[in-house]
Amino acid sequence: YRELMRIGREDYNLKVAFEFVGFMKGIYRFGTAAGVAIDTNDPHACLIMDTFHLFRGDSGFNCIKLVSGDLIANFHINDVRNDVPREEQSDQHRFYPGDGILPIPQLLRDLKAIGYKNTLSLEIFKREYWEMDAREVAVTGKQKVLDCIAAAGV
C-alpha cells in the first residue's frame, strides 16, 4: 500500500485509499486494514469503509469509535437483512440503508464524533434494483440515506 500511495502521489497526483472486503481471504477485517494503513507511516494513508464489509467480515461497528475520521476516505452505506447467515451473504444481499438490521444511525453518530467529514456513498447491488428505473433507484436511495441521517440526528 505504501508503494501504491507513492505512485499515486508522484505519478498521478492522486490520493490512494484502499477498501477491505469482508468476504475475501486476506484483509477482510477493519483492524487488519487499519494496521496496514498505520504501518505505511504515511499521514495520508486512508481506507474506504463499507457497512456491508464491517458486517460481513465480522468487524462489528464499535471499531469506528477507535479511530480518527481522517483514516476514512469514503464510507459506503447500505444495509442487510438477517434472512441469510452473515458468513453466506454476498454483494447481492446489500440493499437500501435503514431497511435492515445494521446499526446505521449509531454508526452515523460515531462518524460525526470522530470528526469524519468526507462522503457517504450509497452502494447497493441487489439484483432487483438493476431491473428498476435507475432514476427511481437513485431517488429512493438518496431519500433512504437522508432518512438515516435524520434518524441519527446528525
Side-chain angles (χ1 to χ4, degrees):
Y1 178 48
R2 180 185 302 142
E3 180 64 10
L4 290 173
M5 288 175 51
R6 185 196 63 73
I7 292 168
R9 185 171 35 247
E10 293 176 10
D11 296 354
Y12 302 99
N13 196 32
L14 295 173
K15 183 175 184 177
V16 177
F18 83 92
E19 180 177 10
F20 63 97
V21 178
F23 53 78
M24 297 183 80
K25 292 182 180 180
I27 300 174
Y28 63 93
R29 295 189 58 142
F30 174 71
T32 307
V36 168
I38 291 166
D39 284 346
T40 66
N41 196 33
D42 188 310
H44 302 291
C46 55
L47 303 177
I48 298 170
M49 303 286 289
D50 190 306
T51 54
F52 176 76
H53 293 308
L54 286 168
F55 167 76
R56 179 60 171 80
D58 203 22
S59 292
F61 293 86
N62 290 321
C63 55
I64 298 300
K65 296 180 238 182
L66 301 175
V67 300
S68 165
D70 293 337
L71 180 65
I72 305 168
N74 185 24
F75 210 109
H76 297 160
I77 186 170
N78 44 64
D79 214 332
V80 299
R81 293 192 178 106
N82 62 357
D83 54 350
V84 175
R86 177 192 55 76
E87 59 278 355
E88 294 176 19
Q89 292 202 22
S90 62
D91 279 338
Q92 69 184 354
H93 295 101
R94 301 184 200 202
F95 56 92
Y96 295 122
D99 286 353
I101 62 168
L102 300 184
I104 293 174
Q106 183 59 54
L107 170 72
L108 294 172
R109 287 189 290 273
D110 292 343
L111 286 171
K112 182 174 182 176
I114 65 168
Y116 179 68
K117 294 182 180 174
N118 293 327
T119 58
L120 289 174
S121 64
L122 179 64
E123 187 171 89
I124 49 178
F125 297 106
K126 192 155 185 63
R127 294 184 187 273
E128 288 82 9
Y129 298 160
W130 298 355
E131 298 171 10
M132 297 169 61
D133 176 70
R135 180 182 273 300
E136 177 185 344
V137 172
V139 167
T140 301
K142 177 183 175 184
Q143 189 58 55
K144 294 285 188 175
V145 171
L146 292 173
D147 291 346
C148 288
I149 292 169
V154 296

